PDB file of all heavy atoms in Angstrom:
ATOM      1  N   GLN M   1       0.843  -1.200   0.000  1.00 98.00           N
ATOM      2  CA  GLN M   1       0.000   0.000   0.000  1.00 98.00           C
ATOM      3  C   GLN M   1       0.882   1.255   0.000  1.00 98.00           C
ATOM      4  O   GLN M   1       1.327   1.731   1.042  1.00 98.00           O
ATOM      5  CB  GLN M   1      -0.938  -0.046   1.213  1.00 98.00           C
ATOM      6  CG  GLN M   1      -1.941  -1.181   1.102  1.00 98.00           C
ATOM      7  CD  GLN M   1      -2.498  -1.692   2.403  1.00 98.00           C
ATOM      8  OE1 GLN M   1      -2.974  -2.832   2.501  1.00 98.00           O
ATOM      9  NE2 GLN M   1      -2.457  -0.885   3.446  1.00 98.00           N
ATOM     10  N   TRP M   2       1.084   1.809  -1.208  1.00 98.00           N
ATOM     11  CA  TRP M   2       1.994   2.942  -1.361  1.00 98.00           C
ATOM     12  C   TRP M   2       1.313   4.282  -1.076  1.00 98.00           C
ATOM     13  O   TRP M   2       1.915   5.191  -0.511  1.00 98.00           O
ATOM     14  CB  TRP M   2       2.584   2.943  -2.761  1.00 98.00           C
ATOM     15  CG  TRP M   2       3.471   1.769  -3.019  1.00 98.00           C
ATOM     16  CD1 TRP M   2       3.202   0.670  -3.786  1.00 98.00           C
ATOM     17  CD2 TRP M   2       4.770   1.547  -2.469  1.00 98.00           C
ATOM     18  NE1 TRP M   2       4.249  -0.213  -3.745  1.00 98.00           N
ATOM     19  CE2 TRP M   2       5.235   0.305  -2.962  1.00 98.00           C
ATOM     20  CE3 TRP M   2       5.599   2.290  -1.619  1.00 98.00           C
ATOM     21  CZ2 TRP M   2       6.484  -0.222  -2.617  1.00 98.00           C
ATOM     22  CZ3 TRP M   2       6.837   1.775  -1.282  1.00 98.00           C
ATOM     23  CH2 TRP M   2       7.273   0.536  -1.782  1.00 98.00           C
ATOM     24  N   ASP M   3       0.067   4.419  -1.513  1.00 98.00           N
ATOM     25  CA  ASP M   3      -0.639   5.689  -1.289  1.00 98.00           C
ATOM     26  C   ASP M   3      -2.142   5.420  -1.322  1.00 98.00           C
ATOM     27  O   ASP M   3      -2.572   4.264  -1.337  1.00 98.00           O
ATOM     28  CB  ASP M   3      -0.225   6.748  -2.321  1.00 98.00           C
ATOM     29  CG  ASP M   3      -0.421   6.269  -3.769  1.00 98.00           C
ATOM     30  OD1 ASP M   3      -1.458   5.610  -4.053  1.00 98.00           O
ATOM     31  OD2 ASP M   3       0.431   6.559  -4.619  1.00 98.00           O
ATOM     32  N   ASP M   4      -2.954   6.494  -1.339  1.00 97.00           N
ATOM     33  CA  ASP M   4      -4.410   6.317  -1.310  1.00 97.00           C
ATOM     34  C   ASP M   4      -5.039   6.439  -2.692  1.00 97.00           C
ATOM     35  O   ASP M   4      -6.252   6.607  -2.815  1.00 97.00           O
ATOM     36  CB  ASP M   4      -5.052   7.313  -0.339  1.00 97.00           C
ATOM     37  CG  ASP M   4      -4.786   8.759  -0.745  1.00 97.00           C
ATOM     38  OD1 ASP M   4      -4.090   8.988  -1.764  1.00 97.00           O
ATOM     39  OD2 ASP M   4      -5.270   9.670  -0.044  1.00 97.00           O
ATOM     40  N   SER M   5      -4.226   6.326  -3.738  1.00 97.00           N
ATOM     41  CA  SER M   5      -4.756   6.393  -5.099  1.00 97.00           C
ATOM     42  C   SER M   5      -5.291   5.029  -5.530  1.00 97.00           C
ATOM     43  O   SER M   5      -5.306   4.076  -4.743  1.00 97.00           O
ATOM     44  CB  SER M   5      -3.676   6.881  -6.062  1.00 97.00           C
ATOM     45  OG  SER M   5      -2.633   5.919  -6.171  1.00 97.00           O
ATOM     46  N   PHE M   6      -5.702   4.927  -6.763  1.00 96.00           N
ATOM     47  CA  PHE M   6      -6.261   3.689  -7.310  1.00 96.00           C
ATOM     48  C   PHE M   6      -5.315   2.511  -7.067  1.00 96.00           C
ATOM     49  O   PHE M   6      -4.117   2.591  -7.329  1.00 96.00           O
ATOM     50  CB  PHE M   6      -6.501   3.865  -8.813  1.00 96.00           C
ATOM     51  CG  PHE M   6      -7.084   2.659  -9.494  1.00 96.00           C
ATOM     52  CD1 PHE M   6      -8.417   2.308  -9.304  1.00 96.00           C
ATOM     53  CD2 PHE M   6      -6.296   1.869 -10.319  1.00 96.00           C
ATOM     54  CE1 PHE M   6      -8.954   1.198  -9.933  1.00 96.00           C
ATOM     55  CE2 PHE M   6      -6.829   0.758 -10.952  1.00 96.00           C
ATOM     56  CZ  PHE M   6      -8.156   0.425 -10.757  1.00 96.00           C
ATOM     57  N   ASN M   7      -5.857   1.412  -6.546  1.00 96.00           N
ATOM     58  CA  ASN M   7      -5.088   0.205  -6.238  1.00 96.00           C
ATOM     59  C   ASN M   7      -3.896   0.491  -5.325  1.00 96.00           C
ATOM     60  O   ASN M   7      -2.859  -0.175  -5.393  1.00 96.00           O
ATOM     61  CB  ASN M   7      -4.607  -0.483  -7.520  1.00 96.00           C
ATOM     62  CG  ASN M   7      -5.685  -1.336  -8.154  1.00 96.00           C
ATOM     63  OD1 ASN M   7      -6.621  -1.780  -7.489  1.00 96.00           O
ATOM     64  ND2 ASN M   7      -5.582  -1.571  -9.453  1.00 96.00           N
ATOM     65  N   ALA M   8      -4.057   1.472  -4.464  1.00 97.00           N
ATOM     66  CA  ALA M   8      -3.024   1.839  -3.482  1.00 97.00           C
ATOM     67  C   ALA M   8      -1.691   2.207  -4.126  1.00 97.00           C
ATOM     68  O   ALA M   8      -0.634   2.102  -3.507  1.00 97.00           O
ATOM     69  CB  ALA M   8      -2.824   0.702  -2.468  1.00 97.00           C
ATOM     70  N   GLY M   9      -1.735   2.630  -5.398  1.00 97.00           N
ATOM     71  CA  GLY M   9      -0.516   3.003  -6.102  1.00 97.00           C
ATOM     72  C   GLY M   9       0.346   1.823  -6.490  1.00 97.00           C
ATOM     73  O   GLY M   9       1.468   1.989  -6.975  1.00 97.00           O
ATOM     74  N   PHE M  10      -0.189   0.618  -6.315  1.00 97.00           N
ATOM     75  CA  PHE M  10       0.580  -0.596  -6.609  1.00 97.00           C
ATOM     76  C   PHE M  10       0.555  -0.939  -8.093  1.00 97.00           C
ATOM     77  O   PHE M  10       1.550  -1.403  -8.655  1.00 97.00           O
ATOM     78  CB  PHE M  10       0.021  -1.767  -5.787  1.00 97.00           C
ATOM     79  CG  PHE M  10       0.727  -3.073  -6.004  1.00 97.00           C
ATOM     80  CD1 PHE M  10       1.893  -3.355  -5.327  1.00 97.00           C
ATOM     81  CD2 PHE M  10       0.219  -4.029  -6.884  1.00 97.00           C
ATOM     82  CE1 PHE M  10       2.556  -4.557  -5.525  1.00 97.00           C
ATOM     83  CE2 PHE M  10       0.866  -5.238  -7.079  1.00 97.00           C
ATOM     84  CZ  PHE M  10       2.038  -5.498  -6.401  1.00 97.00           C
ATOM     85  N   SER M  11      -0.585  -0.717  -8.733  1.00 95.00           N
ATOM     86  CA  SER M  11      -0.727  -1.089 -10.137  1.00 95.00           C
ATOM     87  C   SER M  11      -1.801  -0.221 -10.790  1.00 95.00           C
ATOM     88  O   SER M  11      -2.785   0.162 -10.154  1.00 95.00           O
ATOM     89  CB  SER M  11      -1.127  -2.573 -10.251  1.00 95.00           C
ATOM     90  OG  SER M  11      -1.420  -2.912 -11.588  1.00 95.00           O
ATOM     91  N   SER M  12      -1.598   0.079 -12.062  1.00 94.00           N
ATOM     92  CA  SER M  12      -2.591   0.831 -12.832  1.00 94.00           C
ATOM     93  C   SER M  12      -3.580  -0.086 -13.532  1.00 94.00           C
ATOM     94  O   SER M  12      -4.528   0.378 -14.173  1.00 94.00           O
ATOM     95  CB  SER M  12      -1.887   1.712 -13.876  1.00 94.00           C
ATOM     96  OG  SER M  12      -1.099   0.903 -14.755  1.00 94.00           O
ATOM     97  N   ASN M  13      -3.379  -1.399 -13.422  1.00 93.00           N
ATOM     98  CA  ASN M  13      -4.310  -2.349 -14.040  1.00 93.00           C
ATOM     99  C   ASN M  13      -5.664  -2.310 -13.323  1.00 93.00           C
ATOM    100  O   ASN M  13      -5.733  -2.012 -12.130  1.00 93.00           O
ATOM    101  CB  ASN M  13      -3.751  -3.770 -13.967  1.00 93.00           C
ATOM    102  CG  ASN M  13      -2.618  -3.989 -14.948  1.00 93.00           C
ATOM    103  OD1 ASN M  13      -2.518  -3.306 -15.949  1.00 93.00           O
ATOM    104  ND2 ASN M  13      -1.746  -4.936 -14.632  1.00 93.00           N
ATOM    105  N   PRO M  14      -6.739  -2.607 -14.034  1.00 93.00           N
ATOM    106  CA  PRO M  14      -8.071  -2.615 -13.400  1.00 93.00           C
ATOM    107  C   PRO M  14      -8.149  -3.549 -12.198  1.00 93.00           C
ATOM    108  O   PRO M  14      -8.794  -3.251 -11.198  1.00 93.00           O
ATOM    109  CB  PRO M  14      -8.997  -3.075 -14.534  1.00 93.00           C
ATOM    110  CG  PRO M  14      -8.275  -2.738 -15.790  1.00 93.00           C
ATOM    111  CD  PRO M  14      -6.810  -2.909 -15.485  1.00 93.00           C
ATOM    112  N   ASN M  15      -7.474  -4.699 -12.308  1.00 91.00           N
ATOM    113  CA  ASN M  15      -7.483  -5.671 -11.214  1.00 91.00           C
ATOM    114  C   ASN M  15      -6.066  -6.142 -10.939  1.00 91.00           C
ATOM    115  O   ASN M  15      -5.273  -6.323 -11.862  1.00 91.00           O
ATOM    116  CB  ASN M  15      -8.359  -6.881 -11.560  1.00 91.00           C
ATOM    117  CG  ASN M  15      -9.815  -6.513 -11.718  1.00 91.00           C
ATOM    118  OD1 ASN M  15     -10.461  -6.098 -10.773  1.00 91.00           O
ATOM    119  ND2 ASN M  15     -10.333  -6.631 -12.933  1.00 91.00           N
ATOM    120  N   THR M  16      -5.760  -6.335  -9.668  1.00 93.00           N
ATOM    121  CA  THR M  16      -4.467  -6.897  -9.285  1.00 93.00           C
ATOM    122  C   THR M  16      -4.625  -8.400  -9.061  1.00 93.00           C
ATOM    123  O   THR M  16      -5.737  -8.910  -8.913  1.00 93.00           O
ATOM    124  CB  THR M  16      -3.947  -6.226  -8.006  1.00 93.00           C
ATOM    125  OG1 THR M  16      -4.981  -6.239  -7.003  1.00 93.00           O
ATOM    126  CG2 THR M  16      -3.531  -4.794  -8.274  1.00 93.00           C
ATOM    127  N   TYR M  17      -3.492  -9.102  -9.038  1.00 91.00           N
ATOM    128  CA  TYR M  17      -3.504 -10.558  -8.886  1.00 91.00           C
ATOM    129  C   TYR M  17      -4.297 -10.961  -7.648  1.00 91.00           C
ATOM    130  O   TYR M  17      -5.147 -11.856  -7.695  1.00 91.00           O
ATOM    131  CB  TYR M  17      -2.065 -11.055  -8.794  1.00 91.00           C
ATOM    132  CG  TYR M  17      -1.913 -12.556  -8.658  1.00 91.00           C
ATOM    133  CD1 TYR M  17      -2.158 -13.401  -9.739  1.00 91.00           C
ATOM    134  CD2 TYR M  17      -1.500 -13.126  -7.458  1.00 91.00           C
ATOM    135  CE1 TYR M  17      -2.004 -14.780  -9.623  1.00 91.00           C
ATOM    136  CE2 TYR M  17      -1.337 -14.498  -7.331  1.00 91.00           C
ATOM    137  CZ  TYR M  17      -1.597 -15.319  -8.416  1.00 91.00           C
ATOM    138  OH  TYR M  17      -1.444 -16.675  -8.284  1.00 91.00           O
ATOM    139  N   LEU M  18      -4.032 -10.323  -6.544  1.00 94.00           N
ATOM    140  CA  LEU M  18      -4.842 -10.424  -5.335  1.00 94.00           C
ATOM    141  C   LEU M  18      -5.396  -9.031  -5.041  1.00 94.00           C
ATOM    142  O   LEU M  18      -4.774  -8.028  -5.392  1.00 94.00           O
ATOM    143  CB  LEU M  18      -4.009 -10.920  -4.153  1.00 94.00           C
ATOM    144  CG  LEU M  18      -3.611 -12.398  -4.175  1.00 94.00           C
ATOM    145  CD1 LEU M  18      -2.560 -12.691  -3.110  1.00 94.00           C
ATOM    146  CD2 LEU M  18      -4.822 -13.292  -3.974  1.00 94.00           C
ATOM    147  N   PRO M  19      -6.556  -8.929  -4.390  1.00 95.00           N
ATOM    148  CA  PRO M  19      -7.160  -7.612  -4.167  1.00 95.00           C
ATOM    149  C   PRO M  19      -6.349  -6.755  -3.194  1.00 95.00           C
ATOM    150  O   PRO M  19      -5.638  -7.265  -2.336  1.00 95.00           O
ATOM    151  CB  PRO M  19      -8.536  -7.956  -3.582  1.00 95.00           C
ATOM    152  CG  PRO M  19      -8.348  -9.294  -2.942  1.00 95.00           C
ATOM    153  CD  PRO M  19      -7.386 -10.022  -3.825  1.00 95.00           C
ATOM    154  N   VAL M  20      -6.481  -5.442  -3.354  1.00 96.00           N
ATOM    155  CA  VAL M  20      -5.873  -4.498  -2.420  1.00 96.00           C
ATOM    156  C   VAL M  20      -6.683  -4.494  -1.129  1.00 96.00           C
ATOM    157  O   VAL M  20      -7.919  -4.491  -1.160  1.00 96.00           O
ATOM    158  CB  VAL M  20      -5.830  -3.084  -3.029  1.00 96.00           C
ATOM    159  CG1 VAL M  20      -5.316  -2.065  -2.017  1.00 96.00           C
ATOM    160  CG2 VAL M  20      -4.964  -3.080  -4.286  1.00 96.00           C
ATOM    161  N   SER M  21      -5.985  -4.502   0.008  1.00 95.00           N
ATOM    162  CA  SER M  21      -6.684  -4.513   1.297  1.00 95.00           C
ATOM    163  C   SER M  21      -7.475  -3.225   1.492  1.00 95.00           C
ATOM    164  O   SER M  21      -7.048  -2.140   1.077  1.00 95.00           O
ATOM    165  CB  SER M  21      -5.684  -4.681   2.436  1.00 95.00           C
ATOM    166  OG  SER M  21      -6.352  -4.879   3.658  1.00 95.00           O
ATOM    167  N   SER M  22      -8.612  -3.343   2.145  1.00 94.00           N
ATOM    168  CA  SER M  22      -9.556  -2.224   2.245  1.00 94.00           C
ATOM    169  C   SER M  22      -9.030  -1.048   3.056  1.00 94.00           C
ATOM    170  O   SER M  22      -9.547   0.057   2.962  1.00 94.00           O
ATOM    171  CB  SER M  22     -10.876  -2.722   2.855  1.00 94.00           C
ATOM    172  OG  SER M  22     -10.642  -3.308   4.126  1.00 94.00           O
ATOM    173  N   GLU M  23      -7.980  -1.249   3.870  1.00 94.00           N
ATOM    174  CA  GLU M  23      -7.502  -0.159   4.712  1.00 94.00           C
ATOM    175  C   GLU M  23      -6.483   0.739   4.011  1.00 94.00           C
ATOM    176  O   GLU M  23      -5.918   1.650   4.611  1.00 94.00           O
ATOM    177  CB  GLU M  23      -6.898  -0.705   6.011  1.00 94.00           C
ATOM    178  CG  GLU M  23      -5.440  -1.148   5.923  1.00 94.00           C
ATOM    179  CD  GLU M  23      -5.229  -2.597   5.557  1.00 94.00           C
ATOM    180  OE1 GLU M  23      -6.248  -3.291   5.282  1.00 94.00           O
ATOM    181  OE2 GLU M  23      -4.093  -3.068   5.531  1.00 94.00           O
ATOM    182  N   TYR M  24      -6.239   0.504   2.701  1.00 96.00           N
ATOM    183  CA  TYR M  24      -5.157   1.211   2.008  1.00 96.00           C
ATOM    184  C   TYR M  24      -5.318   2.718   2.005  1.00 96.00           C
ATOM    185  O   TYR M  24      -4.328   3.461   1.992  1.00 96.00           O
ATOM    186  CB  TYR M  24      -5.041   0.711   0.558  1.00 96.00           C
ATOM    187  CG  TYR M  24      -6.059   1.307  -0.393  1.00 96.00           C
ATOM    188  CD1 TYR M  24      -5.750   2.460  -1.111  1.00 96.00           C
ATOM    189  CD2 TYR M  24      -7.309   0.734  -0.569  1.00 96.00           C
ATOM    190  CE1 TYR M  24      -6.675   3.021  -1.987  1.00 96.00           C
ATOM    191  CE2 TYR M  24      -8.233   1.283  -1.422  1.00 96.00           C
ATOM    192  CZ  TYR M  24      -7.915   2.426  -2.137  1.00 96.00           C
ATOM    193  OH  TYR M  24      -8.831   2.989  -2.998  1.00 96.00           O
ATOM    194  N   TRP M  25      -6.573   3.215   2.019  1.00 96.00           N
ATOM    195  CA  TRP M  25      -6.804   4.661   1.971  1.00 96.00           C
ATOM    196  C   TRP M  25      -6.260   5.366   3.216  1.00 96.00           C
ATOM    197  O   TRP M  25      -5.913   6.543   3.202  1.00 96.00           O
ATOM    198  CB  TRP M  25      -8.312   4.952   1.837  1.00 96.00           C
ATOM    199  CG  TRP M  25      -9.107   4.474   3.030  1.00 96.00           C
ATOM    200  CD1 TRP M  25      -9.619   3.221   3.215  1.00 96.00           C
ATOM    201  CD2 TRP M  25      -9.445   5.220   4.196  1.00 96.00           C
ATOM    202  NE1 TRP M  25     -10.258   3.130   4.429  1.00 96.00           N
ATOM    203  CE2 TRP M  25     -10.176   4.348   5.053  1.00 96.00           C
ATOM    204  CE3 TRP M  25      -9.230   6.528   4.617  1.00 96.00           C
ATOM    205  CZ2 TRP M  25     -10.666   4.745   6.290  1.00 96.00           C
ATOM    206  CZ3 TRP M  25      -9.731   6.931   5.855  1.00 96.00           C
ATOM    207  CH2 TRP M  25     -10.443   6.046   6.671  1.00 96.00           C
TER     208      TRP M  25
END
């Protein structure tokens, strides 16, 4: 979880291999 942007700043893809945890924001 890098930041509070889309997919926590981890990936710009619509979906990640595993979901981003809900607390990333």
